Amino acid sequence: MLRLAAAMGVAPEAFWRLSLKEWRMLTQVPRGTAPLGRDGLARLMEGWPDGG
């Protein structure tokens, strides 16, 4: 689980603070929801730039 968290960009100290409910929310895909495609990602990046 820690390896998956690291691959997702979750720092170890943040991982250990997660509740089981939070972990499940991070790792489970909601039923009926399609994965985010390139166009959707581009729209998100335009709407919420990270300043980098």
Side-chain angles (χ1 to χ4, degrees):
M1 288 175 29
L2 186 54
R3 285 184 188 170
L4 176 58
M8 294 170 56
V10 178
E13 54 275 355
F15 169 80
W16 291 113
R17 286 193 309 264
L18 290 173
S19 68
L20 183 55
K21 184 176 183 177
E22 291 169 325
W23 175 251
R24 287 182 178 155
M25 289 177 69
L26 283 173
T27 58
Q28 291 180 350
V29 176
R31 293 180 188 173
T33 302
L36 184 64
R38 287 183 184 259
D39 293 335
L41 178 60
R43 284 192 304 273
L44 285 174
M45 291 171 63
E46 289 173 12
W48 290 279
D50 64 6

